[in-house]
Amino acid sequence: QKEVEQDPGPLSVPEGAIVSLNCTYSNSAFQYFMWYRQYSRKGPELLMYTYSSGNKEDGRFTAQVDKSSKYISLFIRDSQPSDSATYLCAMSAWRGIYNQGGKLIFGQGTELSVKP
Amino acid sequence: EPEVTQTPSHQVTQMGQEVILRCVPISNHLYFYWYRQILGQKVEFLVSFYNNEISEKSEIFDDQFSVERPDGSNFTLKIRSTKLEDSAMYFCASSAEREVDYEQYFGPGTRLTVT
């Protein structure tokens, strides 16, 4: 079983739609969860960061973490053509007292296209 | 807004040559990372660096790879003898030291092409 699984899509939605992106994971040590947006051949851009379980909202974006189900989600409200990109989930465990953790494990990325 | 910068943006090299990829992390960050992304594949962790030493490395990070923080601002990745399969985007990332600040900020990447 892969540590982090993400449906690669592609996902195509009309402008204004609500988009739901999801990842599942297997490692119960993960506590820190991030969503990145990546354009072709560019660096990942941090969108949302969540520690442990719960919801976090930032403008049109909402991140949810359900540690009991090992499932995280990113919702995009009122999607715009400029939201078209690949969305990556990433997660890490506690660094530990010897600072040996903290590496991010990424999902495959979901390619999103928002049509005008 | 502070950002991670990387140079060069694109490096073409011949197999067997040494390359050095450079990064300037965000100035008050203390954790530094290198990741790579082969075209069409997921982003993979290579190495993390804290307090002037490697804190963790992946299986990919073999003896051909090394990292260095030569001064207070730069963080470099050296590949001693490049192989065709080293062709990829290489991303540098950094994060702050505080317990709750695990967010990693990525640079724009260096596209390495080995011919």
Side-chain angles (χ1 to χ4, degrees):
Chain A
Q1 184 181 11
K2 292 181 184 176
E3 270 195 297
V4 179
E5 300 215 42
Q6 183 177 9
D7 185 340
L11 180 62
S12 182
V13 301
E15 184 175 352
I18 296 174
V19 176
S20 172
L21 305 166
N22 312 293
C23 288
T24 59
Y25 63 95
S26 58
N27 188 345
S28 57
F30 289 146
Q31 297 186 56
Y32 306 91
F33 304 93
M34 278 145 267
W35 285 95
Y36 289 87
R37 178 170 61 196
Q38 186 179 34
Y39 298 106
S40 181
R41 293 185 182 266
K42 303 292 184 187
E45 173 194 359
L46 182 64
L47 286 176
M48 300 289 282
Y49 163 65
T50 311
Y51 167 60
S52 194
S53 284
N55 293 359
K56 186 173 183 179
E57 189 173 317
D58 184 1
R60 296 185 295 111
F61 297 90
T62 300
Q64 288 185 350
V65 175
D66 181 351
K67 288 188 70 181
S68 62
S69 302
K70 296 191 178 70
Y71 187 87
I72 70 170
S73 301
L74 178 71
F75 298 95
I76 307 174
R77 288 183 298 281
D78 187 25
S79 56
Q80 302 294 309
S82 57
D83 294 328
S84 298
T86 297
Y87 289 79
L88 312 175
C89 64
M91 46 201 80
S92 72
W94 177 52
R95 289 190 189 114
I97 59 173
Y98 299 112
N99 293 302
Q100 288 204 328
K103 68 181 179 189
L104 288 179
I105 305 298
F106 280 83
Q108 180 70 30
T110 299
E111 185 182 345
L112 172 67
S113 176
V114 181
K115 304 294 187 187
Chain B
E1 185 174 315
E3 59 181 15
V4 177
T5 59
Q6 290 185 244
T7 54
S9 57
H10 188 196
Q11 174 91 48
V12 181
T13 189
Q14 290 189 325
M15 200 166 50
Q17 295 296 304
E18 174 183 287
V19 294
I20 297 176
L21 311 183
R22 302 178 194 280
C23 167
V24 178
I26 293 172
S27 63
N28 63 343
H29 284 184
L30 296 177
Y31 289 90
F32 312 118
Y33 307 84
W34 283 101
Y35 294 83
R36 80 171 186 191
Q37 186 177 33
I38 294 170
L39 189 63
Q41 297 187 23
K42 59 170 66 176
V43 177
E44 300 175 288
F45 168 77
L46 291 178
V47 66
S48 58
F49 192 86
Y50 172 74
N51 200 24
N52 282 320
E53 60 183 22
I54 290 173
S55 50
E56 190 174 6
K57 59 184 179 180
S58 72
E59 290 176 356
I60 304 167
F61 194 88
D62 61 22
D63 291 344
Q64 294 301 310
F65 291 87
S66 62
V67 290
E68 193 178 34
R69 188 153 163 82
D71 53 43
S73 59
N74 290 283
F75 180 50
T76 63
L77 174 70
K78 182 194 290 187
I79 309 175
R80 259 181 278 282
S81 178
T82 50
K83 306 183 190 71
L84 293 176
E85 54 265 37
D86 293 327
S87 294
M89 287 289 290
Y90 287 80
F91 297 111
C92 173
S94 69
S95 68
E97 184 176 23
R98 290 175 295 178
E99 176 63 29
V100 296
D101 289 342
Y102 269 62
E103 305 106 298
Q104 291 185 24
Y105 295 87
F106 282 71
T110 293
R111 181 154 64 107
L112 177 65
T113 302
V114 182
T115 61

